[in-house]
Amino acid sequence: MAIVGPDALEQKLAVKKIVSSLDSVLRQVSLPVSGDDDSIDRLVRNMCDTMYAAGGSGLSAVQIGILKRVIIVDPAGGGLRQSQPFVNPKIIETAGDMVTVREACLSIPGVIINVTRPSRVRVGYSLLTGEQREIIAEDDLGRGIQHAIDHLNGILILDHRE
């Protein structure tokens, strides 16, 4: 599992502007990352800087206006600053009970909505090195991954309103 820890965060690149839910880019489907895309490492570092500056626990590339299938998730919410990047993440399977939890989104400041999601998710993804991995995630990590993947597919928490 590739973790972007404090050493990488010391190499600050840039805090990007987070795209608002009013921007149509958030409704677009993000494009897969090719194996020879050497800009992904820099993108992930920029995403980390942006997410932590905003006080978030997850971010999708599309939320900074980049239509690439890249997400980062830090279920601890930035306390330890150990974001996990997922390149080309894909939900393979969901399991467990459906659980409703209040969710917020950096692209929709001040809005908190009850969102019902599966309690467990199995996700396939690539590391920054291109190595293929799978993870079974529950609780905050599983919810954060599902939320971020929704963004890659043009889905916002507003679409989950009951």
Side-chain angles (χ1 to χ4, degrees), residues 34-69:
S34 67
D36 62 348
D37 189 337
D38 59 358
S39 68
I40 299 305
D41 185 57
R42 178 179 294 274
L43 171 61
V44 166
R45 287 184 285 155
N46 284 336
M47 289 171 65
C48 286
D49 288 348
T50 303
M51 179 184 74
Y52 290 126
S57 60
L59 192 72
S60 298
V62 67
Q63 288 181 275
I64 59 170
I66 310 237
L67 284 169
K68 292 187 178 184
R69 296 190 76 80

Side-chain angles (χ1 to χ4, degrees), residues 76-135:
L80 296 175
R81 292 190 174 214
Q82 292 195 352
S83 295
Q84 180 174 350
F86 296 82
V87 178
N88 295 326
K90 181 177 180 180
I91 295 175
I92 298 169
E93 176 182 47
T94 60
D97 296 331
M98 297 298 285
V99 178
T100 302
V101 174
R102 295 169 55 84
E103 287 186 24
C105 180
L106 293 174
S107 291
I108 313 170
V111 174
I112 299 173
I113 293 177
N114 285 333
V115 177
T116 303
R117 298 187 188 277
S119 61
R120 188 175 320 118
V121 63
R122 183 164 60 111
V123 176
Y125 65 99
S126 297
L127 299 175
L128 294 176
T129 61
E131 181 183 339
Q132 298 294 306
R133 291 282 177 93
E134 279 189 15
I135 186 173

Side-chain angles (χ1 to χ4, degrees), residues 16-19 25-26 28 30 43-44 46-48 50-51 56-74 84-86 89 105-107 143-156:
K16 302 294 185 181
K17 180 181 178 202
I18 294 176
V19 175
V25 74
L26 287 178
Q28 296 182 40
S30 295
L43 171 61
V44 166
N46 284 336
M47 289 171 65
C48 286
T50 303
M51 179 184 74
S57 60
L59 192 72
S60 298
V62 67
Q63 288 181 275
I64 59 170
I66 310 237
L67 284 169
K68 292 187 178 184
R69 296 190 76 80
V70 178
I71 65 173
I72 57 171
V73 180
D74 181 353
Q84 180 174 350
F86 296 82
C105 180
L106 293 174
S107 291
R143 182 164 289 277
I145 290 170
Q146 291 176 76
H147 179 116
I149 290 175
D150 273 356
H151 276 295
L152 300 181
N153 296 319
I155 299 168
L156 302 174

